[in-house]
Amino acid sequence: MAMLLGPVGRRLIPLLAGLAVMTGCQEKPASNQQAPPFVLRSLSLNQLKPDGSRDWDLSSPEARYDLDSRTVRAKRPSGVLYKADRPGFRITADLATVLNDGELVVLEGNVRLQQLNQRRLLIQGQRLVWTPDRSQMVLEQRPVAVDAESRLTSPRLNYRTDTDNLIFEGPARLQRWDKARTADKPPDTLIQVQRGSWNLATGRLDASGPVLGERQPDRSLTASRLEGNTKEGYLDLMEPVQVRLGDSEDEIKAGRTRWNYQRRELRSNRPFTATFEAGEASGTGFIIDEEATTVTIASDCRLNQPGEQLRAQRCRWNWSNERVRAEGDVEVRREALEQITRAPVLEGVVGEDGNLRFSGGGERVRSRIRLGEPARQQRNGSPAELF
């Protein structure tokens, strides 16, 4: 027996019971006996929004209806959630229980919500508690949301059907692959947060911290919280932000930093400090470009090593070949001989000891050295200058 209900507003079960009795699916029981459940050959439920547009459908090839408790239990349910009267999500599960005249729907066993447009996101779990009147779907028991490049896991996922917000409670883990997500390859990026929300329509993502991130092959970061947009491909890390380069103690401490994972780039326009094995650096703004394997200090570049200090307008370090370039009013001060070197551009390399060694890079270099011999100072009347 096929049973189609709708549009019936928010109360589905009374009409279902009436139709079941009228069709004679079960003989009328004696008055002092409990009514046995009706076995329906098929079940189809649908609900409309107040404006008459479609809200959701749910069907099953076999269902049982308990007249006393007004409860429907259905096998292999499937349905559709509509957005603007168009299919938005396909819903499937092993079992469904419809309670309290349709006020509550519980889906169990291999629950799947497959997005039919946009990112084609798939939300999975073993149990879903759906309250249609509150536009709320809560997924429990190992819920996960995946698309072509990402995987989000959380102890509990709450999907709001009216706002398209997916609310996750932590600790939640977001994994991303630079290319297609595959089961045999670890993610290129792993981010752990506490709780937050992800709007599936706009792509906006907000999460509270502490934020812990790992980036292959050997970079890591921390932040207090994050904001971003997955459609536009970026995450904003909120201060204090710490980025570690490699498995050493090299570390950058910064303010708000934008992580554009589509361009594989970290960028900040705030003042920062950095510590390295052989010294310290600071400046205003930096860019970490993974494709070019470079770190660029945007302005007010300062590098300090034991016995040596460099100032320049901009600096760039390539960590794959250890080349360093300083540009714009470059000045190097060395404590030995009180040497001062100035040039428009200086290029150098990081040695095995971690220290920088510079050359002129084809530009005119001017150095001033204070010689220690008193006679030489008296003869010249001023410190010697070597060009």
Side-chain angles (χ1 to χ4, degrees), residues 117-180:
N117 49 27
Q118 299 175 1
R119 301 177 61 91
R120 297 195 63 81
L121 182 76
L122 173 63
I123 307 174
Q124 296 175 283
Q126 292 300 309
R127 177 181 169 88
L128 183 150
V129 180
W130 180 9
T131 312
D133 282 354
R134 296 170 58 186
S135 303
Q136 177 175 271
M137 290 182 162
V138 177
L139 286 100
E140 302 169 320
Q141 299 180 12
R142 301 186 301 278
V144 59
V146 297
D147 62 13
E149 299 91 18
S150 307
R151 186 173 189 266
L152 173 66
T153 57
S154 172
R156 178 184 171 99
L157 293 176
N158 182 351
Y159 176 56
R160 299 303 304 266
T161 61
D162 54 345
T163 62
D164 257 342
N165 270 338
L166 184 64
I167 302 169
F168 48 89
E169 300 177 7
R173 292 160 59 93
L174 175 63
Q175 298 170 302
R176 274 199 57 85
W177 285 256
D178 289 345
K179 298 180 180 178

Side-chain angles (χ1 to χ4, degrees), residues 28-248:
K28 185 176 180 180
S31 58
N32 60 348
Q33 295 179 346
Q34 183 179 6
F38 292 101
V39 178
L40 309 178
R41 295 177 183 173
S42 63
L43 176 71
S44 180
L45 309 177
N46 65 66
Q47 181 165 289
L48 302 182
K49 296 180 180 179
D51 62 2
S53 61
R54 291 174 293 180
D55 193 359
W56 56 268
D57 298 333
L58 188 66
S59 62
S60 167
E62 182 182 344
R64 296 168 64 89
Y65 176 68
D66 187 285
L67 189 61
D68 291 331
S69 63
R70 296 179 299 177
T71 300
V72 174
R73 291 182 172 86
K75 296 181 179 180
R76 301 186 303 279
S78 64
V80 175
L81 283 178
Y82 294 92
K83 298 291 181 183
D85 207 33
R86 295 182 178 180
F89 275 91
R90 170 72 62 184
I91 311 169
T92 59
D94 293 337
L95 300 171
T97 304
V98 184
L99 304 167
N100 299 333
D101 298 344
E103 291 181 355
L104 191 68
V105 179
V106 180
L107 302 178
E108 296 176 284
N110 195 27
V111 181
R112 294 168 60 94
L113 274 72
Q114 176 66 67
Q115 194 176 35
L116 301 177
N117 49 27
Q118 299 175 1
R119 301 177 61 91
R120 297 195 63 81
L121 182 76
L122 173 63
I123 307 174
Q124 296 175 283
Q126 292 300 309
R127 177 181 169 88
L128 183 150
V129 180
W130 180 9
T131 312
D133 282 354
R134 296 170 58 186
S135 303
Q136 177 175 271
M137 290 182 162
V138 177
L139 286 100
E140 302 169 320
Q141 299 180 12
R142 301 186 301 278
V144 59
V146 297
D147 62 13
E149 299 91 18
S150 307
R151 186 173 189 266
L152 173 66
T153 57
S154 172
R156 178 184 171 99
L157 293 176
N158 182 351
Y159 176 56
R160 299 303 304 266
T161 61
D162 54 345
T163 62
D164 257 342
N165 270 338
L166 184 64
I167 302 169
F168 48 89
E169 300 177 7
R173 292 160 59 93
L174 175 63
Q175 298 170 302
R176 274 199 57 85
W177 285 256
D178 289 345
K179 298 180 180 178
R181 176 179 55 85
T182 58
D184 59 347
K185 179 186 175 184
D188 297 287
T189 302
L190 170 63
I191 300 175
Q192 181 170 304
V193 297
Q194 286 304 307
R195 60 182 58 86
S197 65
W198 181 20
N199 191 285
L200 304 184
T202 65
R204 180 172 177 80
L205 178 67
D206 296 277
S208 62
V211 178
L212 305 175
E214 297 177 3
R215 177 69 179 162
Q216 295 295 336
D218 54 7
R219 286 179 289 283
S220 63
L221 58 85
T222 63
S224 61
R225 61 186 182 90
L226 63 81
E227 301 174 356
N229 191 297
T230 57
K231 281 191 172 182
E232 298 179 17
Y234 73 85
L235 298 174
D236 282 342
L237 306 170
M238 301 303 176
E239 64 275 359
V241 176
Q242 295 185 1
V243 181
R244 285 203 169 184
L245 305 173
D247 56 3
S248 65

